[in-house]
Amino acid sequence: MNGLVARDVAVSLGGREALRGVAFTAGHGRVVGLIGPNGAGKTTLLRVLGGLMAPDRGVVTLGGIEMAAMPRATRAKRISYLPADAPVHWPLRVDRLVMLGRIPCAGLWRGSSDADARMTEAAMSRTDVLHLADRTVSSLSSGERTRVLIARALAGDPEVLLADEPVASLDPYHQLRVMELFRDFAAGDRIVVSVLHDLTLAARFCDDLVLVAEGRVVRDGHPEEVLTSGAVGGAYGVETVTVSTAAGTFVAPWRRLDTGNETP
Amino acid sequence: MTAPGTDRGGPRAGRPSEGTRRSAGTATVLPLVVLTILVLALFAASLATGHISLPPIPTLAAALGGDPGLPGLILVEIRLPRAVLGIVVGGSLGLAGAALQGLLRNPLADPGVIGVSSSAGLGAVLAIHFGLATGSDLAVPVAATAGAAAAVALLLVLAGRDAGPLTLVLAGVAVNAFAGALISLALNLAPSPYAVVEAVFWLLGSLADRSLSHVAVALPLTLIGWLLLATAARPLDALTLGDDVARSLGFDLSRVKAQIVLGAACCVGAGVAVSGAIGFVGLVVPHLLRPFVGHEPGRLLIASGLGGAALLLAADLTARLPPMTHEPRLGVVTALIGAPFFLHLIVRTRRTLA
């Protein structure tokens, strides 16, 4: 089986069932959006897909190799993980922080090579942070910081990028830039799985969407099949409007479904 | 080894900016060079300072020539152990402080503040109290190391990995209090008042009146500790980005944690066993040096080890300078410097983190 695949994955966190038998497939060359309400299990699924957490039940495979059997070093080279609200505990210089993404490629004893410097710089130019190279992370705005952390995740030149809400703190220009970057990245026979809350961006830039609610996959497939008012309404509890323009069709959440009985 | 060609498809490579990269290389080495020179200078000053002034070159020549004479004896038997222990113990405290701060991602972690040193002291006092020390030279260092390891393990349970500064310091207060109570109990039950005085003076921390056999006792465990800590540079760098990212970069965090806990326990335990508890070095040094290594926890390790050695040698020299019959104990000197610094840090941390 090709691509990143999860079969029948179940995880319980502190007695709560976070995932209850999830099946997931992301083929090479595709951008897959994980959508769903807060607490649905999106982050847990992303961590299981990245091999950061062993599921209680079920298997995850990448290119047919079981995640549990993959050596740490190999997994680190192939899969890059970008958490939401990632902490940066020390005020490192931006270029040095991005360079941390090269750790899986550099080995334990070797210092940074020319290739490391080149890849670091290339990743920084892709997320438009080259001009911040000698700033310290603590001096950046949250959007700039996010772009630096995305550059870090790309610097190792992984086969799979798992990103948790990567565009949440970005301005519209950089949201588009990052989504284009994901498309571009996936086009090189790689895989992007990204948690997204912006349904419009998700519909426009993802090849497939996976709608998760209460630890289950409610619906997956082509964005148009997933973003129906019934599925979205049921999962998020919102009413959507679908707008068709010359530029394309997009879906926007419009009204909470539970407001009907309230008087404003 | 990753050749440029194997970077799959890769982003278009920009030209590496040679200028910035070369200056970054120099900046990496420069603090280490400066610190090494400082340590060597203080080491020499430590050998040259004492109640009796020795003509350096003839003394050295005599000591090396195998016919020491009195000046040579003073140099080799009294001053050399003191200076070497300054480097060994100071280096351990600096290195352990930097590694613990990196592991806990907490600027207030220090072997003394979080109770590792006092627990090592407890281990040593127990070994002395139960007469294990007479059995083997290694009994006290091993007991001190066990005490230190127990303290770090207890802290990890009490405070957890991502504990805030406050939780960690409170856990440290608890560990310190407990170790202190047990030390008091051991003193309370001591066979004679002389034993109490001896133990108390030893607990105050000093490098005076140590011999080369003390060095030989402390060195093996210390070197093991240094090796364990110094090889943790990469995972500590990775931990800057949090547990999940460090894991995704290929590190086994429970192994990393065990490595650092064991490393800190070995070198702090061995140091405390020969020098008594010397506080605040592991707190102050990483802080002073962090800006010079770009705040990178990995690069901070060696720099902090050298800085700790320099600070302890300097503090030991300071303790010897005043013309008193009883020189102030080294642990007292470092606490007098360190405690105000600690207060300053708490105020600053409270402002930025809380």
Side-chain angles (χ1 to χ4, degrees):
Chain A
M1 190 71 179
N2 212 9
L4 182 62
V5 179
R7 273 194 303 269
D8 191 30
V9 164
V11 172
S12 64
L13 294 174
R16 208 185 120 262
E17 282 181 85
L19 295 176
R20 322 167 183 218
V22 168
F24 175 94
T25 305
H28 281 88
R30 299 186 84 80
V31 177
V32 178
L34 274 182
I35 57 173
N38 297 142
K42 303 183 297 295
T43 297
T44 308
L45 178 56
L46 210 60
R47 296 183 70 227
V48 169
L49 289 174
L52 302 178
M53 173 193 258
D56 298 333
R57 195 181 76 212
V59 283
V60 178
T61 57
L62 174 59
I65 301 171
E66 231 181 273
M67 198 65 69
M70 199 184 289
R72 273 170 217 287
T74 313
R75 190 201 69 208
K77 257 184 222 170
R78 295 182 70 179
I79 306 177
S80 175
Y81 178 73
L82 176 71
D85 302 319
V88 180
H89 290 284
W90 306 108
L92 300 197
R93 235 174 69 154
V94 165
D95 54 349
R96 301 288 302 173
L97 187 144
V98 175
M99 184 78 90
L100 292 179
R102 298 294 300 169
I103 286 179
C105 312
L108 197 58
W109 297 108
R110 200 169 59 88
S112 51
S113 69
D114 279 356
D116 292 334
R118 223 173 28 243
M119 294 300 293
T120 301
E121 204 167 274
M124 287 169 67
S125 97
R126 288 183 125 193
T127 60
D128 194 22
V129 293
L130 258 183
H131 61 290
L132 304 173
D134 53 8
R135 294 264 295 274
T136 56
V137 188
S138 49
S139 73
L140 304 180
S141 76
S142 70
E144 287 171 332
R145 213 178 75 126
T146 304
R147 278 148 53 203
V148 167
L149 291 171
I150 296 173
R152 196 286 303 164
L154 293 175
D157 201 23
E159 179 183 341
V160 180
L161 174 65
L162 305 174
D164 200 348
E165 299 190 38
V167 297
S169 60
L170 300 183
D171 60 44
Y173 175 89
H174 286 102
Q175 287 192 343
L176 292 174
R177 186 163 177 150
V178 165
M179 294 311 293
E180 282 164 13
L181 168 60
F182 284 178
R183 289 226 56 84
D184 193 35
F185 178 82
D189 202 30
R190 289 181 271 203
I191 300 170
V192 176
V193 182
S194 177
V195 173
L196 295 168
H197 279 304
D198 185 326
L199 300 179
T200 312
L201 281 181
R204 252 195 84 188
F205 288 97
C206 295
D207 298 301
D208 306 290
L209 291 181
V210 177
L211 176 60
V212 183
E214 292 174 357
R216 289 201 177 83
V217 173
V218 176
R219 190 173 282 210
D220 60 350
H222 192 269
E224 277 175 26
E225 298 160 21
V226 175
L227 293 176
T228 59
S229 56
V232 172
Y236 286 97
V238 295
E239 190 185 319
T240 56
V241 292
T242 306
V243 184
S244 294
T245 68
T249 303
F250 59 86
V251 178
W254 203 252
R255 189 176 292 125
R256 286 189 286 132
L257 283 175
D258 55 7
T259 52
N261 302 331
E262 293 170 21
T263 41
Chain B
M1 190 74 184
T2 311
T6 62
D7 281 315
R8 324 163 17 115
R12 267 185 312 282
R15 280 186 104 74
S17 42
E18 282 302 329
T20 41
R21 282 190 33 235
R22 195 176 308 123
S23 70
T26 318
T28 311
V29 182
L30 189 65
L32 297 185
V33 172
V34 171
L35 285 166
T36 307
I37 292 170
L38 190 63
V39 170
L40 291 177
L42 287 163
F43 182 74
S46 180
L47 289 181
T49 307
H51 289 298
I52 300 158
S53 73
L54 304 173
I57 304 298
T59 310
L60 206 60
L64 292 175
D67 172 30
L70 186 60
L73 273 177
I74 290 175
L75 186 73
V76 174
E77 297 295 328
I78 296 176
R79 295 195 188 165
L80 187 63
R82 189 168 188 164
V84 170
L85 282 178
I87 292 179
V88 168
V89 176
S92 293
L93 291 171
L95 191 58
L100 288 172
Q101 290 179 15
L103 176 67
L104 298 164
R105 279 149 285 171
N106 192 320
L108 297 183
D110 157 79
V113 171
I114 64 179
V116 177
S117 296
S118 57
S119 301
L122 172 65
V125 166
L126 289 180
I128 295 168
H129 184 79
F130 288 110
L132 300 175
T134 50
S136 156
D137 275 353
L138 280 174
V140 172
V142 168
T145 303
V152 183
L154 191 61
L155 277 168
L156 286 173
V157 174
L158 281 176
R161 240 183 336 240
D162 279 322
L166 187 65
T167 317
L168 184 76
V169 172
L170 288 179
V173 168
V175 172
N176 260 326
F178 191 61
L182 288 178
I183 288 175
S184 301
L185 181 66
L187 296 179
N188 193 195
L189 301 177
S192 76
Y194 300 105
V196 173
V197 170
E198 197 181 332
V200 167
F201 269 113
W202 176 77
L203 282 171
L204 289 178
S206 174
L207 298 178
D209 308 324
R210 302 297 193 266
S211 69
L212 283 177
S213 69
H214 283 102
V215 177
V217 161
L219 211 52
L221 275 175
T222 303
L223 290 179
I224 292 171
W226 285 2
L227 192 70
L228 286 171
L229 294 181
T231 51
R234 279 270 159 139
L236 286 179
D237 281 339
L239 277 170
T240 302
L241 296 170
D243 285 4
D244 266 348
V245 171
R247 244 180 241 124
S248 80
L249 288 170
F251 295 107
D252 177 351
L253 290 195
S254 46
R255 230 196 72 194
V256 169
K257 199 162 54 160
Q259 178 183 346
I260 291 171
V261 167
L262 199 63
C266 278
C267 61
V268 172
V272 168
V274 293
S275 69
I278 294 169
F280 296 106
V281 174
L283 179 78
V284 175
V285 169
H287 267 276
L288 292 179
L289 294 178
R290 206 167 262 127
F292 297 101
V293 295
H295 294 264
E296 292 174 36
R299 283 173 60 202
L300 183 62
L301 288 175
I302 305 292
S304 194
L306 289 167
L311 181 68
L312 203 60
L313 284 169
D316 187 45
L317 278 169
T318 314
R320 272 186 273 172
L321 284 181
M324 298 191 223
T325 36
H326 291 295
E327 61 177 49
R329 291 273 158 167
L330 184 54
V332 179
V333 174
T334 59
L336 284 175
I337 302 169
F341 187 86
F342 185 46
L343 284 174
H344 162 74
L345 273 183
I346 288 183
V347 171
R348 218 180 51 182
T349 318
R350 205 184 51 182
R351 231 177 264 140
T352 56
L353 295 185

